Amino acid sequence: NIDNPDSVNISVYRCDSENPDCTTCDQKRSLYDYDCVWCIDTEDSVCSYSENCVETTNCTVPVITDFNPKCGPIEGGTTITIIGEDLGAISEHIWNLTAAGIQCELDSESHSSTEIQCTTSQVGYETVGPVYINVENSVGYSADYFYYWDIDIVSIDPKLGPKAGGSEVEISGSHLECGNERKVFISDYECTIVNMISTTNTTNVY
């Protein structure tokens, strides 16, 4: 190679590209051997080239800023999307993950340091508590609580309708809005949800 007789490789990169958080910045160093560090010299911490930074820090505390949905049935199966910072560079970094003190199974296929998903486990009673994450023995909690509710149908009106269908049925109960999605069946036939109205203690589905 006339232009490069010694086969010298040059890497050109920017530590602050894609606005990384501390975990992603650390990942650039560990996976790609980039000389990037999480710099706390300024008011807003940034991922910076090491020679441009005086004071650095390790990524130690995961932060949960939000999660949805906020409630699910005690039967489990609710997929919770958790938003935050420094939630682990890879799924193996997450040592424990719970919702209301109940194990929540991590979805390793949809993992990033700022967004993860997990599926709630079955529990035989109603309970409430924060979402908890342990990233390599550093822990974080959500400010909001996740609620496990025992979904209950109180009444159905009307109770009769033509075989041809078309009847608007009002279903009243508690916490019918919880979980990821809602489907209504009358016997083996699915009923299209037209509207849902929630009050403090009652949810009406039409």
Side-chain angles (χ1 to χ4, degrees):
N1 189 322
I2 297 176
D3 296 327
N4 190 6
D6 297 323
S7 299
V8 176
N9 295 318
I10 299 176
S11 298
V12 179
Y13 59 90
R14 284 188 56 177
C15 292
D16 62 350
S17 63
E18 301 178 353
N19 297 315
D21 60 9
C22 184
T23 297
T24 310
C25 183
D26 183 67
Q27 189 177 27
K28 288 184 176 185
R29 184 175 67 253
S30 60
L31 294 184
Y32 306 109
D33 202 28
Y34 293 167
D35 195 12
C36 299
V37 294
W38 191 246
C39 188
I40 57 174
D41 293 347
T42 60
E43 182 178 348
D44 295 323
S45 300
V46 294
C47 188
S48 177
Y49 184 58
S50 64
E51 291 187 4
N52 298 334
C53 183
V54 176
E55 188 175 1
T56 66
T57 184
N58 294 323
C59 309
T60 56
V61 181
V63 177
I64 298 174
T65 56
D66 195 16
F67 68 88
N68 279 293
K70 298 292 192 297
C71 62
I74 61 176
E75 290 80 7
T78 301
T79 299
I80 304 176
T81 300
I82 303 168
I83 308 296
E85 299 175 357
D86 302 319
L87 303 179
I90 56 177
S91 58
E92 286 76 10
H93 290 172
I94 299 179
W95 292 358
N96 196 12
L97 187 60
T98 65
I102 308 301
Q103 200 69 39
C104 197
E105 183 177 353
L106 178 68
D107 180 3
S108 59
E109 299 298 322
S110 61
H111 183 277
S112 75
S113 65
T114 57
E115 181 176 322
I116 59 176
Q117 290 184 331
C118 67
T119 303
T120 59
S121 303
Q122 183 177 5
V123 60
Y125 50 88
E126 293 186 339
T127 186
V128 58
V131 173
Y132 161 88
I133 185 171
N134 182 322
V135 180
E136 296 186 308
N137 220 28
S138 296
V139 302
Y141 296 86
S142 64
D144 293 333
Y145 282 1
F146 181 83
Y147 292 79
Y148 270 101
W149 290 123
D150 186 6
I151 310 301
D152 185 32
I153 295 177
V154 176
S155 65
I156 301 175
D157 185 56
K159 292 182 174 58
L160 297 174
K163 291 183 178 180
S167 299
E168 185 173 279
V169 181
E170 178 180 344
I171 304 171
S172 297
S174 58
H175 313 298
L176 303 183
E177 78 285 359
C178 284
N180 300 112
E181 62 177 345
R182 284 141 293 280
K183 291 185 178 181
V184 176
F185 291 86
I186 298 178
S187 187
D188 294 329
Y189 300 96
E190 187 169 359
C191 187
T192 301
I193 298 176
V194 178
N195 193 18
M196 179 175 291
I197 300 175
S198 297
T199 60
T200 303
N201 298 312
T202 303
T203 305
N204 294 332
V205 179
Y206 297 91

